[in-house]
Structure formats: structure tokens, C-alpha cells
Amino acid sequence: MNRLSIIKPDDWHLHLRDSPYMESVVADSARQFSRAIVMPNLNPPVRSCDEAYAYRQRILSALADECQFQPLMTLYLTDNTSREEIVKASKSDFVFAAKLYPAGATTNSDAGVTDVANIYAVLETMQPHSFPLLVHGEATGEEIDVFDREKVFIDRTLNPVRSDFPVLPILWEAISMPYAVDYVESQDDWLGATITPHHLLINRNAMFAGGFHPHHYCLPVAKREEHRLALLKAASGGSTHFFAGTDSAPHARHAKESACGCAGIYSALCAIELYAEAFELAGDFTHFEAFMSLNGPAFYQLPVNSMRVNLERIEWTVPDTLPFAGEELVPFKAGEVLQWKVVTDD
Ligand code: NCD
Ligand code: ZN
């Protein structure tokens, strides 16, 4: 098979950053995706509808006039998020979800939720509006091994929230372990999960091969090879619970190659190609379109896109670096050869 044609996909988990960095990366996502759920973990975070609206305007003004890309905004939940703000968001036509970052779990999560009990009133408000809760699914706490954080999050947070809010749509962003795959599959359609291209393509060895590789460091951190294989099976296996969300998270090269390097992998340059690469490894493209372009809209109850994208089997080399507001950005798979390329129709 040398050609693939799928309905144009959406990115259900994307970090676009803010000016001036956003202007360097937003076109990469806009070229490949129709819509993207835009993460609110700016500094300061996007906590209100007014802030989300202003951020959305900045994104739209960075795009070319003819560009059809739609940024779908999200709110960052804190211990102090009000019910009123959630009602306002659920009634708006530009905020599509609210994100739970456990405080301290990842980049710019310090203002996140310190105890899920603190947002129970907010979850009570979200449920009847079917307003999706997005979660960064890692428990925090110094006593928890970094490779166990996802499991502890299910046991301590997700499972209780599921029992207490059984018809609240919850989307677990960037699952990284079979424990999460099995948990999500065992649940009803109110729980979905996104899977990133990097969790489908690398395991934790990629961080340590012949020296430390900071450009393979992200959160949740990549796990064992058997875990990568379980994610690949989940993504390619046809379950409607799972869909594409890149978690593309750009950081300037110096911030990654540092004594305390930032977590985040930049995959937006060639996200569709990376997913195609992963499905190629799985040896089965049967459910590629559903994973990329159908399951996400179904979860968010949004229409499926009408445009299509085509890929051809063409070898090409990912650039070593990209411009990033006067700094450098190292993309995922920098300098490596990929087998698939998105092509524009003549
Ligand atoms: C993300 C970032 O840099 O904003 N980093 C990452 O490793 N994924 C935050 C996040 O989604 O955890
Ligand atoms: Zn993320």
C-alpha cells in the first residue's frame, strides 16, 4: 500500500503556547488538522472564558486569512474555579472542555488542583451540561514512583470520580500504560483517552540510549516496550474509546538541553505522518481513519470534518531544528527518515 486517504483529522490535545512562540508553531497544526483542543497551561493559565476568548483571538490572528483551522479552547481548573465560570463556558461557542492538572504533575501545573475534592462542586455543574473534563492522569507526591503515577491516579482519583459522576464525559489525555488501556476499555462511552504519536513510537530506552536524550522526555514519561505495544494495539484495534491527541508540547532547545530540562515533545510538524508510521508498525491501517478522524468528534459530539488528507509512501527526513521565535526547536524524530508524507492534491 503506497497511498492513504482519510478524513482530515483533529488534534484533541495540543499545546500552542503563546506569543511570540505560538506564531512559530501554529501553522504546523493548522496545515494538518481541522480543529485542535488547545491546552490552557500557559503562564499564567487560561482560567476564565474571557482569557480563553482573548487567547483564541491571538491564535486566529496568527493564522493566514484563508486558513480554516479552528482552535477549540479549554479552561484550566484550579482549587478556586467557580461554578459560574463553568456554566458560562458550557454555554459559549468557543470553550469545549476544562482540564484537570493535578498541582505539580507537569509543565505549568503549579496552579492546578491540589485535591480533587476541591473541584467536586465544579464537576457537579459540568455533569448535567455534558461539559467534558480533560485529565492529566498522573498522581503527584514524592513517595510515588514516576513510572507508577498513572496507576495511582486511576486508583486514587479517576475511579472515585467515575463513580461519583457516572455520566460526566471524561477524556484521559495521553495514556501511557496498559493499566490505563484496560481501565478505559472496561468503562462505558463517557470515558475516552487520547494517545500521542510518541507513546506509540518510543519506549523509555529512547531517553537513555548511549547518553541522556532530553528531546524524548515528556510527561507522562514513555514506559516499557510492552507498554508501547499495548498502546499501539489500543490505537489500531478499532475501539472507539481511543483517538489521536498529539500532546505536541514545544520547548526551546535550551530549555530541554538543560540541567533541569522541560518535559514535552514537539510532534506537530508531522503528526499525521508519525501516526501513520505507528500504524505501519502495527501492520494494520483498517482503523486508522477512525482513530484519527472519527472517534474524537464522536466523543465531543461534534461533526466529522468534510475535507480529506492524502498520504503517500515517500521517504523524507525530518529537519534537525525549526525556528522558534528567534530560538531553536528540535522536532520529534529530528534528522530521522519517515516513510509517509502528507501530500497536497494537484
Ligand atoms: C506538556 C507541556 O510542556 O506543556 N508537557 C508534556 O510533557 N506533555 C504538559 C503536559 O501535557 O503534561
Ligand atoms: Zn499535554
Side-chain angles (χ1 to χ4, degrees), residues 11 13-30 36-42 55-56 58-60 62-63 69-73 247-250 266 268 324:
D11 186 347
H13 178 183
L14 175 65
H15 299 269
L16 283 177
R17 310 305 187 209
D18 208 344
S19 301
Y21 298 106
M22 180 260 291
E23 284 80 353
S24 301
V25 293
V26 66
D28 284 343
S29 296
I37 283 280
V38 179
M39 290 297 125
N41 64 331
L42 304 182
Y55 182 29
R56 180 172 175 274
R58 294 197 292 282
I59 296 168
L60 292 176
L63 293 167
F69 179 70
Q70 288 177 48
L72 312 180
M73 309 314 289
D247 195 15
S248 179
Y266 186 65
F324 194 49

